[in-house]
Every structure is written in structure tokens, then in C-alpha cells.
Amino acid sequence: MRVVLAEDLFLLRDGLVRLLEAHDFEIAAAVESGPELARALAELEPDVAVVDVRLPPTHTDEGLQCALDARRERPGLPVLVLSQHVEQLYARELLADGSGGVGYLLKDRVFDAEQFVDAVRRVAQGGTAMDPQVIQQLLARRSGDDRPLARLTPRELEVLELMAQGRTNAAIAARLVVTERAIAKHTANIFAKLGLEVSDDDNRRVLAVLAYLDHGR
Amino acid sequence: MTTETKNDSGRTGVRGIGLAALRGLALALVSLPGAVLCFVLSAVSIALIPIGVGIVTTPYVLTGVRAYANWRRVLAAEWGGVRIPPSYRPLPKDANPWGRTFGMLGDPATWRDLRWLPADMTAGFVTALLPPVLLLYPLEGFALAVGLWRVMPDGYWYGFVPVSDQTSALGAGVLALAVLFCAHFFTPRLLDLHFRLTRAVLGSHQGELTERVRVLTETRRDAVDTSAAELRRIERDLHDGAQARLVAMGMDLGTIEALIERDPAKARELLAQTRRSSAEALTELRELVRGIHPPVLAERGLGDAVRALALRLPVSGEVNVELPGRAEAPVESAAYFAVSEVLTNAVKHSGADRIWVDLHHAGGHLRVTVTDNGRGGAVIGAGSGLTGVERRLGTFDGVLAVSSPAGGPTMVTMEIPCALS
């Protein structure tokens, strides 16, 4: 799988290259600035891009803008955005086009190499990988009052959280150490309680959950 | 100020003219004797200083002059809409007559008062007297035309009309009509002129400057205090938080190094703990950074930063932004933290379930309005967070206004003068 990597800090870039190469990814390009990233995305057509939000020359949200531009050019281009902080605003912008294949993670998540690599793969395959912090913010915001979310059991909330991060039922089952059938039952309950249409498509599932959390009343 | 005076000179209704004439008459009746009395007393008192008597009397006389001038300032504001800020220097309370006398004589405002007195008894008197005269003089003309001319001696002049028979008396009537017509236009303007004259002589820009200096001194002190406290907080947070965790991690790594051969299981356990520590250190640093300068603010500017803020609120918020550019970083930062504080207040105390934030820039001002549908009753002062916000904005000459009737809704408006780039 070919990866374009954009990160301006040498140490982190180097670490990411080594980490990804160790997990059988091919690094098509490892760049350190916005314009370089734009060029690499346009010319190299990678399978997935791993991008830092803040890049030179402006040191603002150059990386995010590049990623959004590239996705406008090539809808569905898988992009995993890394950041020193997570902001719902950015998560929404990434998810806005609804075509999936996006991820938005705190840089710290690379500490857990397995999960990080799993997230990159998931994004490359058109799934999503939302940082647990984003999801927790959303859940905290929505569970404070008498909205349908309040009717979920703690276990169902846990499942919802993992589901919103972009995990499959199998992955959730493995994570919570229960059977996949139990998870399927939980998800069915969650969808029923939230009034969401049942769908087998992982990507649509996350989008539906996020849309609900974001706008549902 | 100019708009107020314009409004007043534009008021040419019959009542307005009558009122202006009446006020002019009152001013004329007061200003001449008042000014003469004050001037003479001051001159005599000051002249008597060399023989000692003046030292005792001058403070009292000058205080009287000040009171008189202040009374006229009030009249100018109430009747003419012309504000003349007084700018006397404060005297020490326990000063002796000597100190008081020379303290007052050393104040430029005193000399402005004394200069104003002759101006008031001449030009001021005339401009005050003309409005009633313009209104009363035509009455005589009409009376002559109606028949008063019969009892007047021959060769009586009304204005430039010699009145001797009915025809010339009617001429006087026509002149009276013309004067009345002029009065219609000039009465309020003349009174206005009187007040402007008073301001020109009596007023000083020094007063505004003094006030400005006071405000600047105060806001600078606040800014210095706030930033010093902020630095202390950051230092403490780093010292107690991230720094301590990194030290602990170093120690743990040392232990792991020693254990890795002897007790691999224990070493692995410690490694997991070390990783948790590093994650916690990062979280703390992230919070700290957010408290100093939020990343979204740096990356996107005020509009999106406030949007991001609204997304984190536990109640639903609506943000409306109309900013064609970005303000300077310190202004953005002050506005951001002010909005953040106001939103926190609203969530904590108002019991609102909806909050609206409106940001726009107009007329060289950044204006932010935060409205909630809570129970109201918010006030500035009394240890409320709003006082801190007011201070924060004060550094940038910004102002804060709160409208929060009991029962709600609460509307907090902030305005900061700034240019967008």
C-alpha cells in the first residue's frame, strides 16, 4: 500500500516512516510542507495520505486544507489527518463530503502502533477513523439532557463510541471481549433507540452516527 | 457632541423658539451680574495676596467661581447639549490656605475660568440676550402698528423706521414681522452659539486627556497584573504537571533498564505505565496550550475558534460570523477568551438551553454579542467573571455591556476598536 506522508517535524516524520515501513507500507513520499504535499497528492496518486494539520509555510491548517482540496479533486481519496489537538470543527469538515475514507487522530495515537496502523488501513479501505476524543466530546455534549442518547445503557454507549470511531462489529467485539453476535444485538438496539436506518456499510454507519450526534435533537 | 448640537439647532418649533428665548433671557440676566461679581471678587482677592488677606480669601472666591462655572457647565449640557468637562486639579484635603491658594492659582483651569468671566459678561451676555430680544422686539412693532404710535412722541424710531403716522406705524409692523421671521431661524442658533462660546473659552481638551491618561494607566496596570498572573499559572502548571511526569518517566525508564533482564514481566508492566504517563503529560501540555493560545485560533482565526468553542458547549449554540479579515493576534486572543468566559458564565449560571453568538466588524469596531435564553440577572462586578472580561477588553479600549433583566434573556455585548487585515 503506497502512502504519502506529510509532517514537518523531522523526528516525527522519521518515526512515522519507520513505523509504517515496519508494517509493510510503501512510502511513496515523505514531505514537510503544504505545497510539496499538494504536488505529491496530485502526482503520486497514493492509496492513503497521512497528513499533519499544521504545516509550513503558514504553520496554520495548511495540511488540512491540502487534504480537503485533494479530496475535492479526487473524491474519496483516503486521508488520515494527524494533529496535536482534535477539534470537532475539523472532524466535521473532513466528514462533510460524505464519501468516507477519512480519519482524524491525535498524534499520540501512534504510541499504540497496532491501533494506529489499523486506523491507516481502515481509512485506506474507505472506512473512517475518528479519534476517541472527538467522539467523547460529542457524546458528552449530547448526553447532558433528555435526548434519545440518554436512553442508551452504558454498554450501548460504549459500543456507540467505538462504532463512531469507525470500527466494525468484529473489531468492537474483540475490543470489548464479547461475541460478535452480542455486538450485533447492541447495534440493532442503538439504531432503534436513535431512530437510525440499519445499514451494513461501515462507512455509512459512522456517518449516520456522527450526523445524528451533531445535529440530532 | 456635534450631532447633539445639530439636533438642537434644528429644533425650530414655536415651543422651541419660546424656550430658547426664555433660557436666553435667564442666562443674560444671570451671566452679566454673575460674571462681573466673580471677576471683581477674584481680581480684588488676588490683588490682596501681597498683603496677606488674599491668601485667606482667594481659595473661597475661586471655589465660588468654580461653582458658578460648573453651574454654567451643567446648563450648557442640559439646555444646549454642549458638554464641557471640568478639569480642575484635585487639591490635597489637608492643605493650608497658602497651599490652597497657590495650588488653585497654579491650575490652568483657574485661569481659564478667569479668562472666561470677561468673555461671558460681554460676548456671552450678548449671545444670550439676543434670542429674547429677537422675540420681544417684534411685539413692540406690532403694538405700534395697532395704535401705540399715537401716544409716542413724534420722531420715535422703531429700528430704522421713523414712526409718525399710521402708514409708518404699519411699516414698523412689517419690520416687526421681518424680525420675527429672522427670530424663527436665529433664536435657537444664537443660544447654541452662546453655549459653544462658553465651551470654546471655558472647556479644555486637557480634561479629556487627563481622563484618557487615567484610563490608560489603569488598563496597563490590569494588563501587567493579568499577564504576570498568567505566567505564574503556566509556570506552576508546567512544574507540577508535565515536568513532574517526565521526571517520573525518566525514573521508570531507569528502573525498566535494570529490570529488563531480571524480571521481564515487571519491566513490561512498568513500560505500560510509562506510556500512560507520557500520554497524560501530552494531555496536560495540550490543555496548557489551549489556555495560552488555542490552536484553532492560531490556525483559523476568531470566527472558527468561536465556532469550535460553541461546538464544545453542553447546550446548543448558534454562531454567526461576519468578519472579512483577521484582527491582530492580541485582539483576537482577548476577544476569544472574553467570549469563552461569557459562554462559560452563561452555561454555568443562566440555565439557558440555547446560546447565540454574533460576531461582526463595522465602523472600525469588532462587535461580539452573546445572547442566551436563560433566567437573566447577570451583573458586572461583585466578583462576577464579567469584571475580568471587562478588564481583559479594557486593555484594548474595548467595552462590555450587559443587559440581563431578571427572568432573562441575557445579552452581553463586547466592542473592541480594531482594524481587520
Side-chain angles (χ1 to χ4, degrees):
Chain A
M1 218 178 279
R2 297 170 68 244
V3 185
V4 161
L5 184 69
E7 163 64 60
D8 57 327
L9 294 177
F10 172 75
L11 278 178
L12 268 175
R13 188 170 64 242
D14 202 41
L16 279 170
V17 168
R18 255 182 291 136
L19 178 68
L20 289 172
E21 276 178 346
H23 287 84
D24 297 329
F25 285 90
E26 181 196 333
I27 305 295
V31 301
E32 53 182 315
S33 79
E36 283 178 288
L37 171 64
R39 214 173 314 125
L41 287 179
E43 289 169 7
L44 301 175
E45 300 202 342
D47 297 313
V48 59
V50 178
V51 175
D52 183 10
V53 166
R54 206 180 275 199
L55 286 180
T58 58
H59 284 286
T60 57
D61 59 346
E62 188 100 9
L64 180 67
Q65 297 300 347
C66 269
L68 291 173
D69 286 347
R71 276 171 68 85
R72 262 191 290 277
E73 288 290 307
R74 230 182 91 192
L77 166 72
V79 176
L80 175 65
V81 173
L82 292 178
S83 176
Q84 210 64 265
H85 63 103
V86 293
E87 216 41 84
Q88 278 185 54
L89 199 68
Y90 295 174
R92 285 168 62 171
E93 284 173 359
L94 280 165
L95 290 167
D97 61 8
S99 51
V102 284
Y104 181 39
L105 296 179
L106 269 181
K107 278 188 182 167
D108 314 9
R109 303 301 167 205
V110 298
F111 285 1
D112 193 332
E114 291 305 321
Q115 282 198 30
F116 174 71
V117 170
D118 178 47
V120 180
R121 286 219 177 86
R122 221 158 58 220
V123 171
Q125 285 155 8
T128 54
M130 284 293 129
D131 199 275
Q133 271 208 4
V134 175
I135 310 301
Q136 269 164 14
Q137 279 178 21
L138 286 168
L139 289 178
R141 184 173 137 84
R142 291 303 169 210
S143 56
D145 45 13
D146 56 354
R147 294 188 178 122
L149 219 52
R151 293 203 295 268
L152 297 186
T153 63
R155 188 57 156 187
E156 283 168 354
L157 269 175
E158 223 172 330
V159 173
L160 174 68
E161 199 176 320
L162 290 167
M163 198 160 71
Q165 286 172 24
R167 289 172 205 277
T168 58
N169 279 1
I172 298 171
R175 185 78 187 278
L176 298 179
V177 206
V178 291
T179 61
E180 217 179 311
R181 272 194 53 196
I183 298 298
K185 230 176 82 187
H186 282 310
T187 50
N189 282 343
I190 293 168
F191 285 139
K193 284 182 182 174
L194 300 187
L196 292 169
E197 267 177 59
V198 183
S199 155
D200 288 336
D201 183 348
D202 283 341
N203 172 24
R204 268 185 55 201
R205 186 164 95 156
V206 175
L207 290 182
V209 173
L210 283 175
Y212 167 77
L213 291 173
D214 227 16
H215 302 291
R217 293 285 127 142
Chain B
M1 228 183 271
T2 25
T3 50
E4 281 175 77
T5 46
K6 258 182 202 155
N7 283 343
D8 270 21
S9 65
R11 188 187 57 196
T12 48
V14 176
R15 241 187 101 224
I17 295 169
L19 201 62
L22 215 63
R23 285 171 171 176
L25 188 64
L27 278 171
L29 288 178
V30 168
S31 74
L32 188 57
V36 169
L37 185 71
C38 285
F39 191 70
V40 170
L41 281 178
S42 313
V44 170
S45 178
I46 291 170
L48 288 182
I49 289 179
I51 61 161
V53 181
I55 306 270
V56 182
T57 53
T58 305
Y60 294 104
V61 172
L62 288 182
T63 308
V65 172
R66 282 181 185 190
Y68 177 65
N70 278 337
W71 179 58
R72 296 289 298 275
R73 285 188 173 96
V74 172
L75 286 187
E78 279 183 2
W79 289 359
V82 177
R83 274 189 58 245
I84 312 169
S87 56
Y88 300 110
R89 285 182 194 160
L91 281 175
K93 278 203 176 75
D94 50 352
N96 53 23
W98 180 273
R100 286 167 63 86
T101 303
F102 287 98
M104 285 175 115
L105 286 179
D107 187 348
T110 304
W111 296 103
R112 248 193 323 271
D113 282 358
L114 294 179
R115 230 180 20 243
W116 164 69
L117 290 172
D120 191 47
M121 68 179 84
T122 51
F125 173 70
V126 172
T127 45
L129 191 62
L130 274 175
V133 165
L134 273 178
L135 210 62
L136 294 176
Y137 197 48
L139 294 184
E140 187 192 345
F142 293 138
L144 285 171
V146 169
L148 188 67
W149 64 274
R150 288 176 206 279
V151 296
M152 289 296 174
D154 270 1
Y156 180 81
W157 289 75
Y158 177 77
F160 55 85
V161 181
V163 180
S164 53
D165 53 12
Q166 183 61 47
T167 324
S168 55
L170 280 178
V174 171
L175 180 60
L177 210 62
V179 172
L180 196 63
F181 187 68
C182 288
H184 172 72
F185 288 108
F186 289 114
T187 307
R189 278 186 208 182
L190 278 168
L191 195 68
D192 192 41
L193 188 69
H194 170 83
F195 292 129
R196 278 166 191 252
L197 182 80
T198 310
R199 179 171 64 188
V201 189
L202 194 57
S204 114
H205 292 289
Q206 205 103 43
E208 282 164 42
L209 277 179
T210 315
E211 175 67 8
R212 181 87 191 113
V213 168
R214 192 187 61 75
V215 170
L216 283 177
T217 313
E218 206 166 276
T219 51
R220 189 191 56 178
R221 198 188 50 226
D222 283 348
V224 171
D225 283 355
T226 316
S227 68
E230 192 84 328
L231 280 177
R232 267 197 306 279
R233 183 184 64 81
I234 294 166
E235 190 271 339
R236 202 176 45 236
D237 285 359
L238 276 174
H239 186 263
D240 297 349
Q243 219 171 336
R245 282 191 201 284
L246 287 171
V247 171
M249 273 166 64
M251 283 190 331
D252 283 348
L253 284 173
T255 319
I256 291 163
E257 215 169 24
L259 282 177
I260 205 154
E261 301 279 306
R262 273 192 294 130
D263 190 351
K266 181 82 182 153
R268 207 171 296 122
E269 198 182 299
L270 266 179
L271 266 176
Q273 188 187 318
T274 311
R275 200 171 69 187
R276 269 200 304 279
S277 290
S278 80
E280 277 161 16
L282 273 172
T283 310
E284 269 169 24
L285 283 174
R286 200 172 287 128
E287 286 308 312
L288 201 61
V289 167
R290 197 183 286 286
I292 299 168
H293 194 72
V296 212
L297 184 63
E299 287 161 6
R300 291 287 185 84
L302 187 58
D304 275 357
V306 171
R307 279 199 189 102
L309 209 51
L311 282 175
R312 291 166 154 262
L313 289 180
V315 302
S316 76
E318 205 172 287
V319 182
N320 187 9
V321 180
E322 273 173 59
L323 297 176
R326 287 186 66 166
E328 280 175 23
V331 174
E332 274 195 335
S333 177
Y336 174 86
F337 283 109
V339 173
S340 169
E341 179 79 36
V342 171
L343 286 175
T344 312
N345 259 353
V347 168
K348 253 199 240 162
H349 306 298
S350 75
D353 62 357
R354 278 191 83 81
I355 295 180
W356 295 266
V357 185
D358 183 76
L359 284 132
H360 66 265
H361 188 270
H365 283 76
L366 172 70
R367 184 187 266 258
V368 187
T369 322
V370 180
T371 314
D372 68 54
N373 62 353
R375 54 176 162 267
V379 281
I380 306 183
S384 86
L386 290 175
T387 314
V389 174
E390 200 176 27
R391 280 189 175 187
R392 205 187 270 278
L393 297 178
T395 317
F396 298 90
D397 284 335
V399 289
L400 172 83
V402 178
S403 150
S404 185
T410 298
M411 185 161 125
V412 179
T413 307
M414 292 166 270
E415 216 172 59
I416 310 175
C418 70
L420 296 187
S421 60

